[in-house]
Amino acid sequence: MTMKYAPVILLTTLLAGCGNIQGQLDSEKISSLHYDNVECASLVAQRDQAVSEVSRLTNGKGYRDPDVVTGFGPVLPDYRNKNEKRAGALQGQAEAMTRSIDRRKCTSTPS
């Protein structure tokens, strides 16, 4: 029985060590506490710049996490292109900044 599944076990073990997509997606989710010591006006500007860059990288479509079949994230390689990876990282930062802004009740300056 073990020999029957040996190729599958070997393949999944090799793929799991190759920068899996789930690990990359998890690393894009960051804590908003990192931004709590940044001045509100500066943080709002940084967040707006990150959101603008995400829009540019995705041609105005916005970033969405890729659909990964449940359970296969740890064995699938990160198949996103360079822009999608950068947009994912920036989106995670923008979301963390937004949570910090909301928690601290920062107000953005009217344009």
Side-chain angles (χ1 to χ4, degrees), residues 7-53:
V8 173
I9 293 170
L10 179 63
L11 179 63
T12 56
T13 303
L14 290 173
L15 287 176
C18 296
N20 64 63
I21 192 164
Q22 192 60 54
Q24 294 298 321
L25 293 174
D26 289 347
S27 72
E28 292 171 1
K29 309 300 183 224
I30 59 174
S31 172
S32 61
L33 297 176
H34 297 291
Y35 298 103
D36 283 355
N37 59 355
V38 179
E39 180 187 331
C40 282
S42 176
L43 187 58
V44 169
Q46 288 177 29
R47 189 264 322 259
D48 292 346
Q49 182 179 4
V51 169
S52 173
E53 183 67 8

Side-chain angles (χ1 to χ4, degrees), residues 59-79:
N59 297 321
K61 296 176 186 173
Y63 177 78
R64 286 185 25 179
D65 282 337
D67 293 328
V68 179
V69 177
T70 304
F72 285 98
V75 295
L76 289 176
D78 191 352
Y79 54 82

